[in-house]
């Protein structure tokens, strides 16, 4: 069992700390909210007056805070973690913050001789309570190996995301994709309603196609991800179908800003000479727009 | 076995007609391309000089044409299907055309006393050859029942989409969703590359979340589709995460027009007072933007 | 004075025809609405039973119709203009229709040996009544010279837009720019309100900058239009300022979809290596996106 | 003549400080770059070791820095302005920073008993050298009156933007409008080129319409700004024309993301029942999207 400093006892942090206690770890906790601290003390934790105090003698320091400025302040501020931390300890930031700030924080800790990794979590506060969070571990293999017994007290699935900073990166990508997809799904569903089509029928059809299953595991693996851009379904035709959908949506008064933006991406792909390539070549088109070199295509 | 007129022998139509012949149906075929006609004649079809001729004595007339103006012309033009068609026949348009034009064509046929349905197909030309197309049937139960034995010679899965015009509608929704999703997936993947994150890691994480599995069967059923907008994940937080992703993308020079458009949808949802509702409430937000009243769909 | 067939007596066409009568021209008129025809007959016009009848003996045929399909039908349909038209007559389409359809119609008329030009109008129905329309003339110099006396009965300013088809093109560009600019202006004004800033103050400042005066005659002539992309104001800084504006707008709940889209255009310009070029280089960026080679326009 | 602390001697700050010296003011200057300091010392300024030192005995403190974090640090940091400042002095921030950060800084200064205003500048570094900057003054009437003699040494036009914080707000609005308009102008111009239309002709037409003159002083004053939404040009028609422009642009491979976004704004206006209102009612539509109540602004 380990000696752990836990800083940040909010909606997620509190049950995570509780689960560490249940597994027999020794916890020193810190939060600006004394009620949150007391609740953990009642479960066996030790209250600390400052992050620095919490970090004294800790083998692990876990931070679970609302934003990156707070993590910075907790680590580097007055009476911050750095003032009490041993060079042998491992700092684990589990907050969801800006990835480039994570890089800065890890570099700052390294410059002072400290070891730090990022392990943001997936799923919800219910999973935090149940100890079944998804752990997205950004760290060296040694850091991950060392942290795993502690982390698995809070979650039931750990994905190694690569080196330090990669945990927060994969969380960002996942959230970007799911949040934007949510808005796109709403557009399709409202167009469905405006067309007088049963949503159940649409769902049945989409459940068998990339519309419902996504592209990553259906249309992409044997085409663009293999460098094969020969057309199974041409960009020209995809562009045409988008145009029909937008035309119908505009006739029926269904605003579709994501659809409108995507049509211009296909428009640009055609302008770049990709009209007769497979629709999955849109990945290469977006890569080119980002100034990445044209390897695949 | 049935007597069928088949009009439109292109990349999709030709193998579909062949499969009908293989099942023992009698075919009269028409196409502007004499080579396409001859290929079917070699397999046992009868060539017709005009759509009207093909329709004579036919129990079914199938059209598989590149656009709606051609379907209109084949049905209603000089020497068109209407001139030769029996009132007992069933016309099946399998083309992918503008849904509101489908409605007009079906209404025009009905006004002349003819029965017509729409059955566009899913999947690819390889499936057309194999006879394993997905059949999206828009018709009355009677029309669908009558057409099924003929249709199943060309496909292996038939989905009843609702009444006449619903087949083309569900195809439109499916294609809209999959084509726009393709562009969104490209944005997430290029941002992943620009962040130096392994795509395999991102894929592993997304395969367990709505990012990879879609929302229709994960986040929506127990929330917005049930009328429960209490937050499992708040719109305010989704909006914040999108903002971070766009900030990072703009720092790294990754253009994300769909992401940028989606952030403004969440922005508008917050302006409408939905910030503390569940992120799936974005469906209700888009419905309101479309002027639909706030009932559950 | 000339003999003129005038087809299409709607909100714009009726006063335009009246003004021709006032100038002493002889008019044969046609419209599907008998009341509209009678009103012109009361002012001295002759009613025609069909477009073909109207066109008989006419030196000029003017069409002013709601869309291109109607123009096509009036020209080429049964009892259409072509059936009565002299090879010496000049057809002037003043309707606002799709430019590529204008090209098709002019080519179709030319193939039959007829002369046709396009002269859509600017301004409002009040100007149509006053005879002070803006005339956007697409035609050969000979066509324009010949039509001018007739046209100037309806307007007070004529701009030669280039050859046939250019009148409708310049109308499209003008309308595109003014309509989209209207939405952009609304975003800036609502952000102004949300910031608690006086609109009069904003207006006073913008009236002295490209924000209010436009770029065509201010920032562009000495920079991108001359091929000088050295920075007076860098794309990097423009991109940064857009980011601040969008950040503020998202904090204040002001949706700005045009602003969000424009930020991604600058983002792409930076990805293309244009960050330190003058902001007017965004023109070259959009040209490149459209697949146009990098010459000055 | 006044005693002035000037902090920030970059591309803009250096010539502004020089102009203050030329007018006979006494300057204490500070910058992290010793060469920049020396250049001003050579012209008669006094070098200060810290912002605090510069502020000692100063009647005015002017900051001209690259971002808001630097302004905060210069004011409130160790050896910052606050440590040396007299309660009678006036702090003038002329930097271009985030407006909500300006508010925070001004409030922070006020809490310490200091007087601060914001006066960001318009125009270019050439104007800074010539002393002909545009001064956007955010301050109380008393602050503006007191600062004017000093400010007019650096510029030749001063616009009172309202109270503290309004200078930076009006700069933000102006820059937002001009930067996004730049991208929109590029779309229209590239579509012009793709259509084979002379840009000079387009310019000639647009110079007489809101496309070139803007809406603020043409279409808006007698319509939406007066509360008159009766249609001179209907939203329905504006939406239709945008649709034609986008259709042409997609046929000609001209990506127009701003145009596509604006079409969806008009689409939403129609969904909200505004189709038959004047096109200037798009302002009310955007206000409603932002959750502002439907008063005239």
């Amino acid at each position: 069992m380990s000696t752990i400093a836990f800083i940040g006892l909010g909606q997620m942090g509190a049950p995570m700390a509780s689960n560490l206690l249940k597994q027999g770890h020794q916890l020193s906790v810190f939060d600006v909210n004394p009620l949150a601290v007391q609740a953990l003390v009642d479960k066996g934790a030790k209250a600390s007056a400052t992050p620095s105090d919490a970090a004294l003698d800790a083998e692990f320091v876990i931070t679970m805070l609302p934003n990156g400025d707070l993590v910075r302040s907790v680590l580097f501020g007055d009476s911050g973690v750095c003032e009490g931390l041993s060079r042998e300890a491992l700092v684990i930031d589990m907050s969801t913050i800006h990835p480039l700030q994570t890089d800065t924080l890890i570099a700052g800790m390294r410059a002072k001789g400290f070891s730090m990794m990022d392990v943001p979590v997936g799923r919800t506060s219910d999973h935090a309570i149940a100890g079944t969070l998804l752990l997205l571990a950004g760290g060296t293999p040694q850091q991950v190996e060392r942290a795993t017994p502690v982390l698995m007290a809070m979650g039931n699935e750990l994905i190694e995301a690569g080196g330090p900073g990669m945990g927060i990166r994969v969380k960002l990508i996942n959230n970007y994709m799911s949040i934007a997809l949510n808005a796109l799904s709403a557009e399709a569903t409202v167009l469905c309603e405006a067309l007088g089509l049963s949503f159940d029928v649409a769902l049945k059809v989409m459940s068998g196609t990339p519309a419902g299953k996504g592209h990553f595991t259906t249309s992409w693996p044997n085409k663009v991800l293999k460098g094969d851009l020969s057309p199974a379904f041409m960009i020209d035709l995809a562009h045409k179908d988008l145009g029909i959908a937008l035309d119908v949506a505009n006739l029926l008064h269904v605003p579709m800003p994501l659809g409108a933006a995507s049509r211009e991406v296909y428009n640009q792909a055609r302008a770049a000479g990709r009209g007769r390539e497979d629709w999955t070549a849109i990945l290469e088109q977006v890569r080119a727009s980002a100034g990445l070199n044209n390897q695949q295509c």
Side-chain angles (χ1 to χ4, degrees), chain A:
Chain A
M1 293 301 105
S2 304
T3 305
I4 302 171
F6 201 106
I7 297 167
L9 303 170
Q11 197 184 2
M12 296 294 285
M16 290 160 69
S18 292
N19 281 321
L20 288 168
L21 286 171
K22 280 185 204 155
Q23 296 296 319
H25 298 289
Q26 288 197 297
L27 255 66
S28 296
V29 299
F30 176 80
D31 195 282
V32 291
N33 176 359
L35 294 177
V37 171
Q38 188 57 47
L40 266 291
V41 168
D42 292 345
K43 295 179 178 172
K46 197 183 109 202
S48 298
T50 64
S52 168
D53 284 354
L56 280 173
D57 303 324
E59 297 165 76
F60 298 92
V61 176
I62 295 176
T63 47
M64 187 65 181
L65 296 157
N67 63 60
D69 285 347
L70 282 175
V71 179
R72 178 165 47 93
S73 166
V74 154
L75 294 180
F76 299 103
D78 289 345
S79 305
V81 165
C82 289
E83 296 183 5
L85 194 65
S86 151
R87 293 290 184 289
E88 280 69 49
L90 174 59
V91 176
I92 308 172
D93 183 30
M94 303 188 74
S95 320
T96 295
I97 69 174
H98 194 301
L100 305 189
Q101 190 166 24
T102 296
D103 293 354
T104 303
L105 294 172
I106 291 176
M109 292 297 278
R110 189 179 295 142
K112 290 176 180 286
F114 298 120
S115 175
M116 177 171 170
M117 69 185 300
D118 54 305
V119 190
V121 298
R123 300 175 191 156
T124 71
S125 54
D126 287 344
H127 296 87
I129 294 167
T132 54
L133 291 168
L134 173 64
L135 304 154
L136 304 171
T140 63
Q142 295 75 18
Q143 287 175 323
V144 175
E145 185 183 358
R146 181 175 170 198
T148 295
V150 169
L151 294 170
M152 292 304 283
M154 298 176 280
N156 65 352
E157 183 180 0
L158 185 150
I159 294 180
E160 292 198 48
M166 290 298 159
I168 195 64
R169 279 167 167 75
V170 75
K171 173 141 192 195
L172 183 82
I173 293 294
N174 178 72
N175 282 21
Y176 173 66
M177 185 69 196
S178 63
I179 293 167
L181 177 55
N182 191 30
L184 178 61
S185 303
E187 289 186 359
T189 304
V190 175
L191 182 58
C192 175
E193 180 178 352
L195 279 166
L197 173 69
S198 154
F199 180 62
D200 287 342
V201 166
L203 202 53
K204 193 171 173 185
V205 172
M206 291 192 289
S207 69
T209 78
K213 301 199 289 189
H215 285 269
F216 299 131
T217 56
T218 59
S219 69
W220 284 19
N222 286 313
K223 303 300 294 184
V224 68
L225 294 181
K226 271 197 180 157
D228 177 4
L229 301 182
S230 65
F233 180 53
M234 279 196 297
I235 279 183
D236 278 346
L237 292 177
H239 175 259
K240 182 190 133 211
D241 282 4
L242 268 184
I244 293 175
L246 281 163
D247 187 27
V248 171
N250 272 276
L251 286 169
L252 298 177
H253 300 181
V254 179
M256 303 211 302
L258 277 78
S262 67
R263 186 194 193 194
E264 301 307 312
V265 175
Y266 283 90
N267 190 4
Q268 195 173 344
R270 299 176 79 214
R274 295 183 178 280
R276 299 186 68 80
E277 290 182 359
D278 189 60
W279 64 331
T280 62
I282 210 74
L283 174 58
E284 290 304 324
Q285 173 62 29
V286 176
R287 292 184 77 249
S289 290
L292 300 173
N293 58 358
N294 288 325
Q295 298 173 338
Q296 301 309 320
C297 66

